[in-house]
Amino acid sequence: MSEQTVRAPRPAAPAPRRPRKGTPPWVVAALKVLGLAVVVLWCLFPFLWMGMTSLRTGADALTEPNILRGPFSLDSYEQVVDLGFQFALRNSLIVATVTTLICIPVASLAGYALARLPLAGKFVILALTLVATLFPPVALVNPLYQVYLELDGLIGLSLLNSYAGMILPYVALTLPLATFILTTFFSGIPKEIEESAKVDGATPFQAFWRVVAPLAAPGVGAAAILTFVYATNEFLLAFSFAPADLNVQTVPVFIGTFERVGYEDPIGQVMAASVLVSIPLILFALILQRRIVAGLTSGAVKG
């Protein structure tokens, strides 16, 4: 008898699956647009409410929930300008600009050192830097005020009612956070990039300034925006050290001095001043946004 090969039966072919009907692309696109519109409206509504309230007049500006209901006028803007808002805005911009110009270079060098140098206890230093950002500014008011008085009595250095009296604590409070942010960004930049620059003849500082710093532009921009906004909006220290002198009084203190007229709150003047002070902050963020986008693509490729 001849041997017969036993073959296993072939499995039956699976039945063809019916294609599932997915969500139409136009529905997905519409949902994305709707979600984006909700987020944008949620973020911009406070600014819309602030702007519309600054244009409304009458006693119902605070109690009437319909922000589109008039009458509307520019009286609130004229009133805040007559009270000297332009001087307060100048003071805020000076204090915020000087604070940012001092804080960001120092934080950049400190962050670069923490990210690149083999320091012992680097984690402890970063942890203490992060803890320093949680330090309450109110704890500085009394000791700093006493120090300012002592310096004025001993060497005649008057820091009260001056720009320096606000800039010094602002730098101290914003420097830890800026250093922590920039340390994170510098740590994410490959070391091979700056080593390649050193091979081409660049000094360590040139490699930092021309190669590493442009790549860290997003971090520098974020730290600069946070520092500038903090120095512009800070109220407690500015009110404690420069409460009455219009030559150095900043916008938050200026707005806090608005007085009620009879039984009417100065909500229109407060909103008008808030709109005016928001304009330079928005412009500053837009300018740095361009630098951030440029920093993402510059310096990484050697042409």
Side-chain angles (χ1 to χ4, degrees), residues 34-283:
L34 180 61
L36 181 62
V38 171
V39 173
V40 171
L41 181 61
W42 178 271
C43 296
L44 295 182
F45 180 78
F47 297 96
L48 175 63
W49 178 84
M50 182 173 62
M52 296 304 297
T53 304
S54 66
L55 297 174
R56 299 171 65 189
T57 60
D60 59 345
L62 183 61
T63 59
E64 174 60 43
N66 186 6
I67 60 175
L68 301 179
R69 180 177 179 180
F72 301 103
S73 70
L74 297 175
D75 293 342
S76 297
Y77 291 90
E78 296 177 358
Q79 292 172 5
V80 297
V81 172
D82 293 338
L83 291 174
F85 173 82
Q86 62 274 20
F87 303 109
L89 181 60
R90 176 203 62 190
N91 299 332
S92 291
L93 294 180
I94 291 175
V95 172
T97 302
V98 175
T99 301
T100 304
L101 292 178
I102 295 175
C103 180
I104 297 305
V106 176
S108 299
L109 295 175
Y112 181 73
L114 290 173
R116 288 292 187 260
L117 298 181
L119 300 175
K122 183 185 300 184
F123 177 79
V124 177
I125 296 175
L126 289 176
L128 293 177
T129 302
L130 186 59
V131 170
T133 61
L134 306 177
F135 194 81
V138 67
L140 298 176
V141 175
N142 288 333
L144 273 181
Y145 195 88
Q146 294 298 325
V147 170
Y148 289 172
L149 291 178
E150 292 292 336
L151 290 176
D152 191 11
L154 292 176
I155 60 177
L157 180 60
S158 179
L159 293 177
L160 294 175
N161 293 319
S162 66
Y163 292 139
M166 293 180 286
I167 292 173
L168 290 176
Y170 288 173
V171 172
L173 290 172
T174 55
L175 186 59
L177 179 60
T179 302
F180 185 82
I181 293 174
L182 292 176
T183 301
T184 304
F185 272 86
F186 286 132
S187 299
I189 298 176
K191 295 182 180 180
E192 291 77 11
I193 295 178
E194 53 190 300
E195 291 176 356
S196 176
K198 293 178 182 179
V199 170
D200 292 340
T203 63
F205 182 77
Q206 289 175 340
F208 164 75
W209 179 253
R210 296 182 179 180
V211 179
V212 180
L215 292 177
V220 174
I225 291 175
L226 292 177
T227 302
F228 191 88
V229 171
Y230 175 85
T232 304
N233 295 336
E234 203 282 328
F235 172 78
L236 179 61
L237 297 177
F239 182 76
S240 301
F241 302 144
D245 191 352
L246 191 58
N247 293 323
V248 295
Q249 190 181 72
T250 58
V251 171
V253 181
F254 174 80
I255 295 176
T257 59
F258 288 160
E259 298 180 356
R260 299 179 60 176
V261 179
Y263 293 98
E264 183 178 349
D265 290 326
I267 185 66
Q269 292 85 349
V270 172
M271 293 297 105
S274 301
V275 170
L276 292 176
V277 76
S278 300
I279 295 176
L281 295 178
I282 295 174
L283 293 177

